[in-house]
């Protein structure tokens, strides 16, 4: 398995090589790029948790703060057995680009704990979440670093963390804890969450898709295959189906389903909620590998990283790949898809809807004034449309891929902000 942080560095170097030509002061540009290759700071430590059987267990925890030139570090906290320091560092780097792409005033951060949360009781999960909040408390705050949910963390976990940050952290560190509600996003509505956050990532991706469909002259009725039927995959499929596109394939971890006539995501969800699996819904059963190679107009990987590889990229038939998952395409696959003329919209643009509504949540928390859902979604559409238009314009002007164009505008904005601040002692 390739080192994700090395991938993030390689991506940055590729884009920097193109951008460099337009900078007069190459020395300062190079220094900024050098700084962006590694996070500003990685905080690591051990969380000691009392388990239900009375024994104490230790879990390794990280918080990577990549860059805050544009604004406070921002990014989720992942609870997963495969978390590594390199992964957290890479994810924090991608958050810097993701926030830059949509123009929200944040830098990038990410947190992680090496744990399989499925093996924890609710009580153990709560104690682990509180311990993590206490561990990062001296380094976070509404103007410094704003965590959020990521893989295996949710609104309930954010609620525990807000509470811990507000109470125990204040006692332990004897510091003034600033606005705990505005220090975490992805919170439940009752505790300062934003309306529209649940569907934000899938809907944001749909706004990107709809905009591109016009630019690429895709017709209503264009066929779509979606891998992954969780929060992101479901909402993307839901909005695409509602708008008249034909969702012909869906899948979850246990397999998928194909129907040339089209699938109604709401009905598939009802079937799943009644105890079924996506693969046992009526239609032709397919594997996750087959889904990626279907003869469809649009392919939407919305589950895992590294699913499009050098082994299967040559068999992709879609003309548009919308990366709703983080990192679904390996660099080798990316090259193959580019050679085939397939448009690949990178994750940092396609799935930026979630962090964008997180930003709206933070704004509402700071204002203490809450917006109606219509306003949240209208503003989400505005930012996603602008980001997509910007990427498309740059792609056409410079004849690069959508990924390179997206990264070019994201990296340029961060570098220019760093240069504006001046980066010398
Ligand atoms: P989720 O846990 O709600 O859903 C994941 C889905 O993927 C489930 O349907 C699961 O069954 C399926 N899956 C798991 N293993 C699979 C496999 N081997 N093959 C096919 N499907 C498999 O997660 P989510 O929040 O929907 O996130 C999905 C992706 O989107 C992740 O890469 C995540 O990092 C990214 N993402 C999520 C958000 C967000 O706001 N939720 C924001 C940005 C990016």
């Amino acid at each position: 398995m390739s080192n994700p942080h090395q991938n993030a560095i390689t991506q940055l170097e590729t884009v920097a090589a193109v951008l460099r030509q337009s900078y007069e002061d190459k020395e300062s540009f190079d220094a900024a790029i050098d700084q962006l290759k590694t996070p500003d700071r990685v905080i690591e430590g051990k969380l000691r948790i009392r388990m239900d059987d009375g024994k104490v267990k230790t879990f390794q925890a990280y918080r990577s703060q990549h860059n805050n030139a544009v604004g406070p570090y921002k990014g989720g906290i992942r609870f997963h057995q495969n978390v590594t320091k390199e992964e957290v560092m890479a994810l924090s780097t991608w958050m810097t680009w993701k926030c830059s792409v949509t123009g929200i005033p944040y830098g990038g951060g990410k947190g992680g704990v090496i744990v399989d949360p499925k093996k924890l009781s609710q009580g153990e999960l709560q104690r682990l979440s509180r311990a993590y909040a206490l561990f990062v408390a001296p380094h976070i705050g509404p103007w410094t670093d704003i965590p959020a949910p990521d893989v295996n963390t949710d609104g309930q976990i954010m609620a525990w963390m807000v509470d811990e940050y507000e109470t125990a952290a204040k006692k332990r560190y004897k510091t003034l804890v600033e606005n705990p509600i505005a220090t975490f996003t992805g919170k439940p509505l009752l505790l300062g969450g934003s309306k529209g956050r649940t569907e934000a990532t899938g809907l944001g991706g749909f706004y990107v898709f709809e905009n591109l469909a016009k630019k690429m002259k895709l017709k209503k009725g264009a066929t779509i295959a979606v891998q992954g039927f969780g929060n992101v995959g479901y909402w993307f499929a839901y909005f695409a189906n509602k708008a008249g596109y034909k969702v012909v394939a869906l899948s979850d971890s246990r397999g998928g389903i194909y129907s040339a006539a089209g699938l109604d995501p709401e009905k598939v969800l009802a079937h799943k909620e009644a105890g079924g699996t996506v693969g046992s819904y009526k239609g032709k059963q397919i594997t996750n590998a087959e889904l990626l190679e279907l003869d469809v107009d649009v392919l939407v990987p919305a589950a895992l990283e590294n699913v499009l590889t050098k082994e299967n990229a040559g068999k992709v038939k879609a003309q548009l790949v919308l990366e709703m998952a983080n990192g679904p395409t390996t660099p080798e696959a990316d090259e193959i898809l580019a050679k085939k003329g397939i448009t690949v919209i990178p994750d940092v643009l396609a799935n930026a809807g979630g962090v964008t509504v997180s930003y709206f949540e933070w704004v509402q928390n700071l204002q203490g004034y809450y917006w109606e859902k219509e306003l949240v979604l209208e503003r989400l559409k505005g930012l996603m449309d602008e980001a997509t238009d910007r990427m498309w314009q740059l792609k056409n002007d410079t004849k690069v891929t959508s990924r390179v164009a997206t990264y070019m505008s994201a990296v340029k904005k961060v570098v220019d902000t760093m240069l504006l601040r001046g980066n010398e002692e």
Side-chain angles (χ1 to χ4, degrees), residues 89-152:
M89 286 161 71
L91 289 165
S92 69
T93 311
W94 290 322
M95 281 306 296
T96 301
W97 312 141
K98 193 179 291 190
C99 294
S100 179
V101 162
T102 50
I104 58 179
Y106 289 141
K110 201 74 170 195
V113 178
I114 306 177
V115 58
D116 181 355
K118 291 189 191 86
K119 295 195 177 140
L120 301 182
S121 68
Q122 272 297 95
E124 289 165 344
L125 185 63
Q126 177 168 172
R127 293 196 285 283
L128 183 74
S129 306
R130 287 181 178 279
Y132 186 85
L134 201 56
F135 152 73
V136 291
H139 309 282
I140 61 173
W143 302 108
T144 46
D145 185 352
I146 306 145
D150 189 69
V151 175
N152 291 333

Side-chain angles (χ1 to χ4, degrees), residues 75-90:
I77 302 162
R78 177 172 293 202
F79 284 180
H80 198 276
Q81 59 278 16
N82 297 342
V83 161
T84 62
K85 186 172 170 178
E86 284 69 32
E87 182 190 59
V88 178
M89 286 161 71

Side-chain angles (χ1 to χ4, degrees), residues 241 246-248 259-264:
N241 176 61
K246 206 190 269 187
V247 179
V248 293
S259 164
L263 295 156
D264 179 343

Side-chain angles (χ1 to χ4, degrees), residues 130-390:
R130 287 181 178 279
Y132 186 85
L134 201 56
F135 152 73
V136 291
H139 309 282
I140 61 173
W143 302 108
T144 46
D145 185 352
I146 306 145
D150 189 69
V151 175
N152 291 333
T153 53
D154 58 13
Q156 172 63 75
I157 289 178
M158 293 306 111
W160 291 327
M161 289 192 180
V162 166
D163 186 65
E164 186 72 17
Y165 180 65
E166 183 163 357
T167 53
K170 197 178 202 169
K171 257 189 250 156
R172 171 174 299 196
Y173 300 108
K174 301 195 176 35
T175 52
L176 181 70
V177 175
E178 282 178 278
N179 199 339
I181 298 266
T183 302
F184 294 84
T185 62
K187 303 178 299 288
L189 276 178
L190 279 175
L191 200 64
S194 176
K195 288 182 179 156
R197 177 64 185 88
T198 310
E199 61 269 53
T201 306
L203 179 57
F206 173 70
Y207 288 147
V208 173
F209 166 70
E210 218 183 11
N211 188 336
L212 286 167
K214 273 187 223 131
K215 298 186 196 313
M216 294 175 69
K217 304 199 171 34
L218 280 177
K219 299 212 167 50
K220 282 279 160 85
T223 54
I224 306 179
V226 182
Q227 181 184 64
F229 200 59
N231 173 280
V232 175
Y234 170 72
W235 285 110
F236 178 86
Y238 170 89
F239 288 109
N241 176 61
K242 278 262 178 295
Y245 296 96
K246 206 190 269 187
V247 179
V248 293
L250 290 168
S251 72
D252 63 13
S253 58
R254 286 182 279 182
I257 197 79
Y258 174 84
S259 164
L263 295 156
D264 179 343
E266 278 182 284
K267 289 192 180 145
V268 180
L269 183 66
H271 169 78
K272 204 175 153 137
E273 282 176 349
T277 60
V278 172
S280 64
Y281 190 75
K282 57 179 183 282
K284 183 176 169 243
Q285 285 197 351
I286 53 169
T287 64
N288 267 296
E290 286 165 346
L291 182 140
L292 298 170
E293 297 169 16
L294 284 174
D295 190 3
V296 288
D297 298 308
V298 186
L299 175 62
V300 184
L304 299 179
E305 64 278 11
N306 294 336
V307 291
L308 292 169
T309 63
K310 63 177 188 297
E311 278 75 34
N312 63 7
K315 297 179 202 149
V316 170
K317 297 179 191 69
Q319 53 173 306
L320 173 65
V321 175
L322 192 72
E323 292 187 340
M324 293 302 296
N326 279 320
T329 313
T330 66
E332 296 93 342
D334 203 33
E335 251 177 60
I336 298 169
L337 295 173
K339 279 205 190 105
K340 288 181 66 161
I342 297 172
T343 302
V344 181
I345 305 303
D347 46 9
V348 291
L349 170 58
N351 69 29
V355 73
T356 302
V357 174
S358 270
Y359 160 57
F360 296 156
E361 179 178 338
W362 175 78
V363 171
Q364 293 170 74
N365 295 153
L366 292 172
Q367 292 179 329
Y369 178 69
Y370 289 83
W371 310 349
E372 283 313 316
K373 190 163 166 179
E374 289 66 32
L375 183 61
V376 173
L377 302 188
E378 184 191 315
R379 289 184 168 163
L380 172 65
K381 182 165 173 18
L383 289 185
M384 298 309 288
D385 275 347
E386 277 173 30
T388 309
D389 290 346
R390 213 163 28 235

